[in-house]
Amino acid sequence: MPKRLISPFRISADQPELVRSQISALARQVPILYVILILNVLLTAIMHIGVAPLWLSVLLPFPIIVIGVMRSISWVKLRDKVLPHDVAVQRLRSTVYLSGVLGAVLCGWALALFTYADSMMRLHSAFFVSMTVIPCIFSLTHLRAAALLTAIVALFPALAEVGSPFDDAT
């Protein structure tokens, strides 16, 4: 049973053409994903300055933005390169792993901000989650494992926790 649960998240190394195609498609789409991520994190952080603690509104978003810029640049550099098969497989595996980690961090950050917000800012936090995660899922469609992991780790818990952003509005 656990093998069946893990199998959708594995990267198959025995199909070199598929791996090459996935890297090529992701090299075009992932930089756009990171631009969306960076802009949404930046706007959400700015909106919460003065409302949430400084570490939550400024210090935590900074490394997320730096990671986004670095990863975006590294994917842009891959656009015209042909990677050795083992390097390409490792790149796909690290992308799956990072999609889960970043998804969890961003979801946790948005939910932490949610506790300091009024109803309109909660609506913005819900919007942040959806307008970050959904484009990320679509950008990762060529790497099904990363798209699926992003959806599970970030979108579903956030939607379950957020509920209605107007719960306290009467």
Side-chain angles (χ1 to χ4, degrees):
M1 174 106 136
K3 205 174 196 181
R4 199 191 286 182
L5 292 175
I6 294 172
S7 66
F9 303 103
R10 291 184 187 231
I11 302 300
S12 178
D14 60 350
Q15 298 175 328
E17 286 184 36
L18 176 62
V19 169
R20 207 171 318 122
S21 295
Q22 287 174 315
I23 290 287
S24 176
L26 290 171
R28 291 187 309 274
Q29 292 179 312
V30 169
I32 296 166
L33 172 155
Y34 280 114
V35 168
I36 292 167
L37 176 98
I38 291 165
L39 289 175
N40 283 343
V41 167
L42 191 59
L43 292 172
T44 301
I46 289 169
M47 187 172 184
H48 286 84
I49 292 175
V51 177
L54 188 65
W55 69 268
L56 193 57
S57 60
V58 177
L59 298 179
L60 185 63
F62 183 73
I64 295 170
I65 291 169
V66 170
I67 289 169
V69 169
M70 290 172 35
R71 292 286 294 180
S72 184
I73 291 168
S74 73
W75 276 103
V76 167
K77 288 180 180 180
L78 288 180
R79 283 188 177 166
D80 298 323
K81 284 188 178 179
V82 176
L83 297 176
H85 179 69
D86 57 330
V87 174
V89 169
Q90 185 56 40
R91 182 67 179 233
L92 293 178
R93 287 180 179 150
S94 69
T95 300
V96 172
Y97 174 77
L98 192 58
S99 70
V101 170
L102 275 177
V105 167
L106 288 171
C107 183
W109 178 61
L111 293 175
L113 288 174
F114 199 77
T115 62
Y116 295 97
D118 61 13
S119 61
M120 286 309 290
M121 290 179 85
R122 287 180 181 173
L123 181 62
H124 181 267
S125 292
F127 185 75
F128 160 75
V129 170
S130 62
M131 288 297 105
T132 303
V133 174
I134 293 171
C136 288
I137 293 168
F138 280 110
S139 296
L140 294 169
T141 55
H142 295 287
L143 187 57
R144 181 187 67 188
L148 184 60
L149 188 59
T150 301
I152 291 169
V153 168
L155 189 58
F156 296 132
L159 293 175
E161 178 69 28
V162 170
S164 171
F166 299 107
D167 283 344
D168 68 343
T170 54

